[in-house]
Amino acid sequence: MNSTSQVNASEAARAAATASSRDAFVRIENVVKKFGDSTAVNNVSLNIAKNELFALLGSSGCGKSTLLRMLAGLETATSGKIYVDGEDLASLPPYRRPVNMMFQSYALFPHMSVETNVAFGLKQEGVPKNEIKERVADALNLVQMSRYAKRKPHQLSGGQQQRVALARSLVKRPKLLLLDEPMSALDKKIRQKTQLELVNIIEKVDVTCVMVTHDQEEAMTMANRLAVMSEGRIVQIGSPSEVYEFPNSRFSAEFIGSTNLFEGKVVEDEPDHIFVESEDLETRMYVSHGVTGPLGMPVGISVRPERVRVTREKPGTANNWARGVVTDVAYMGSYSLYHVRLPGGKVVVSNLSSSHLMNEGAPAWNDDVYVSWAPSSGVVLTA
Ligand SMILES: Nc1ncnc2c1ncn2[C@@H]1O[C@H](COP(=O)(O)OP(=O)(O)OP(=O)(O)O)[C@@H](O)[C@H]1O
Ligand SMILES: [Mg+2]
């Protein structure tokens, strides 16, 4: 319809080009997995490029682990195909699959030292002793655990155990590394540090990585691209910023980050903008990008909290604002979250930089205020 739709389309094309089916390293085609009557994975198609770090994201039970287990060859698809490096996974015997999976619990052997844990898989494969020694040393070096080689797992912190588990996966030199909730055992602070470490390590080795998480921040920080899943289906695929800035549905908008969602109807459709009327707002919404559809079409408009201004002064524009009352101000450190209740009862959330609030005259609890946003800040959602 207009400039941003074009940006959207070209970004989508670029995202698709990074993993077109021609050069995709992992190709998932129409995969369905049923357990009895229930469908855990419902017709998923997805391409993942070589050396990509791809995240599967979604709420509990949406089918993430099941899809990952199929990539690992631990489950067989009810229908559909999975190709890794051009080969049909189902036709490869397990030992020829170039895949390694790191499980939700790291499953380190408690009675073995760190180095014996890491060496275990290679020994089973009958790799010569000298080579095992070298590869284990390299892997431990990579995850910066060389000086803990002789320790037992219970003598390590959670983050250290996680790195040993990663070394144990990488030492086998898989082409495809699968991580199921790799950080779930770690507390928040260590988690954030470990996320960056993990990305650095993965970038150093020649590996393609698919990671499952239900933590959207984790997926946003770590992944090159991500897929948002719901009830066994993929809702949206894109880079973290594409999915955040251009959610394709109410589900994506609310799942990735938080958002203000206004329900309304298209009342005017011009080449470079649309107008939407919502019962929640006294002014019309002027949105500078979106979709073309018949007048009267119901749409959702998503406006991210950091795009919403809260002022005492009435905005100088005819659209995109509403009167309200501050019902809550939560100081979060570098920013503060404002809750502003509109006359109709809807609460609009705004994320304001705390330095801005140092100004005298910053709105406070119980103040009469205006919330407003720019025409480019609204994203039109039809799904
Ligand atoms: N072996 C099984 N037999 C029957 N149902 C199963 C089996 N494994 C998974 N399911 C069901 O399939 C659905 C998807 O499960 P899955 O483990 O893939 O979810 P998930 O997205 O990984 O969730 P979580 O975030 O909680 O780990 C769930 O409804 C689950 O109960
Ligand atoms: Mg799971």
Side-chain angles (χ1 to χ4, degrees):
M1 157 184 172
N2 55 47
S3 60
T4 314
S5 308
Q6 280 155 16
V7 171
N8 234 337
S10 69
E11 280 191 351
R14 187 166 44 72
T18 56
S20 70
S21 57
R22 191 171 35 83
D23 64 4
F25 184 71
V26 178
R27 249 160 62 210
I28 301 172
E29 293 181 354
N30 306 107
V31 163
V32 174
K33 178 66 184 179
K34 292 189 179 188
F35 293 108
D37 291 344
S38 73
T39 307
V41 172
N42 195 351
N43 200 21
V44 164
S45 294
L46 175 64
N47 292 322
I48 298 170
K50 196 160 167 43
N51 293 339
E52 207 171 6
L53 202 170
F54 193 95
L56 295 171
L57 185 62
S59 44
S60 186
C62 72
K64 307 178 295 292
S65 292
T66 304
L67 185 56
L68 203 70
R69 290 171 60 81
M70 285 191 281
L71 284 173
L74 298 171
E75 302 274 7
T76 37
T78 309
S79 60
K81 292 270 185 201
I82 297 176
Y83 299 90
V84 176
D85 204 7
E87 294 198 89
D88 183 348
L89 208 55
S91 67
L92 288 177
Y95 65 90
R96 281 207 44 223
R97 292 179 189 148
V99 182
N100 194 285
M101 176 144 164
M102 193 176 110
F103 291 93
Q104 204 153 347
S105 60
Y106 311 134
L108 296 173
F109 300 114
H111 56 285
M112 289 184 193
S113 69
V114 164
E115 61 184 0
T116 324
N117 261 288
V118 176
F120 185 79
L122 298 181
K123 270 189 195 148
Q124 282 209 314
E125 280 176 17
V127 175
K129 263 196 171 151
N130 290 347
E131 188 184 334
I132 293 184
K133 210 171 158 206
E134 221 169 275
R135 281 169 67 174
V136 168
D138 284 351
L140 287 178
N141 191 26
L142 185 69
V143 300
Q144 298 181 336
M145 285 296 291
S146 306
R147 52 196 191 102
Y148 301 95
K150 305 286 181 210
R151 290 222 192 151
K152 299 273 170 64
H154 74 269
Q155 297 168 313
L156 302 174
S157 73
Q160 290 165 341
Q161 290 181 31
Q162 196 260 3
R163 283 187 272 157
V164 175
L166 184 64
R168 196 176 54 174
S169 292
L170 290 174
V171 80
K172 298 182 86 177
R173 297 185 182 151
K175 291 184 190 166
L176 178 60
L177 176 67
L178 305 172
L179 306 171
D180 195 351
E181 302 272 1
M183 316 286 173
S184 58
L186 307 180
D187 64 46
K188 192 165 168 120
K189 190 117 192 228
I190 303 193
R191 234 177 135 119
Q192 287 172 340
K193 184 165 161 272
T194 310
Q195 286 165 1
L196 298 176
E197 281 173 7
L198 190 60
V199 171
N200 286 336
I201 292 167
I202 289 167
E203 277 173 358
K204 279 188 202 150
V205 285
D206 184 21
V207 74
T208 304
C209 183
V210 182
M211 179 181 88
V212 160
T213 177
H214 56 250
D215 177 342
Q216 45 110 0
E217 267 179 48
E218 185 163 293
M220 304 272 282
T221 328
M222 294 181 65
N224 304 116
R225 286 191 311 147
L226 53 88
V228 180
M229 289 183 71
S230 170
E231 295 179 5
R233 291 178 187 274
I234 290 183
V235 178
Q236 185 168 13
I237 300 175
S239 70
S241 66
E242 280 161 7
V243 177
Y244 186 81
E245 298 296 341
F246 303 106
N248 68 354
S249 56
R250 292 169 177 84
F251 184 86
S252 257
E254 295 198 296
F255 193 79
I256 304 283
S258 58
T259 200
N260 295 293
L261 200 53
F262 300 98
E263 294 298 335
K265 287 190 170 138
V266 177
V267 292
E268 211 178 303
D269 186 356
E270 296 294 330
D272 65 342
H273 66 266
I274 60 172
F275 276 108
V276 173
E277 268 177 16
S278 167
E279 286 183 1
D280 292 328
L281 297 171
E282 46 194 306
T283 64
R284 297 205 294 181
M285 275 185 281
Y286 176 118
V287 192
S288 63
H289 45 81
V291 288
T292 305
L295 292 184
M297 177 173 69
V299 290
I301 305 286
S302 158
V303 185
R304 296 288 185 192
E306 66 274 18
R307 304 282 192 146
V308 177
R309 292 184 292 259
V310 180
T311 54
R312 290 172 190 281
E313 304 77 39
K314 189 172 172 179
T317 52
N319 307 292
N320 294 347
W321 59 263
R323 220 182 295 269
V325 177
V326 177
T327 55
D328 199 11
V329 183
Y331 178 72
M332 309 294 284
S334 60
Y335 66 96
S336 293
L337 277 184
Y338 271 67
H339 285 200
V340 177
R341 200 178 57 235
L342 309 189
K346 185 173 178 72
V347 174
V348 173
V349 179
S350 165
N351 174 334
L352 296 180
S353 130
S354 293
S355 60
H356 165 79
L357 301 177
M358 300 300 176
N359 298 341
E360 260 183 67
W365 189 68
N366 250 346
D367 280 356
D368 290 324
V369 291
Y370 295 87
V371 288
S372 60
W373 53 90
S376 59
S377 297
V379 177
V380 185
L381 306 170
T382 52

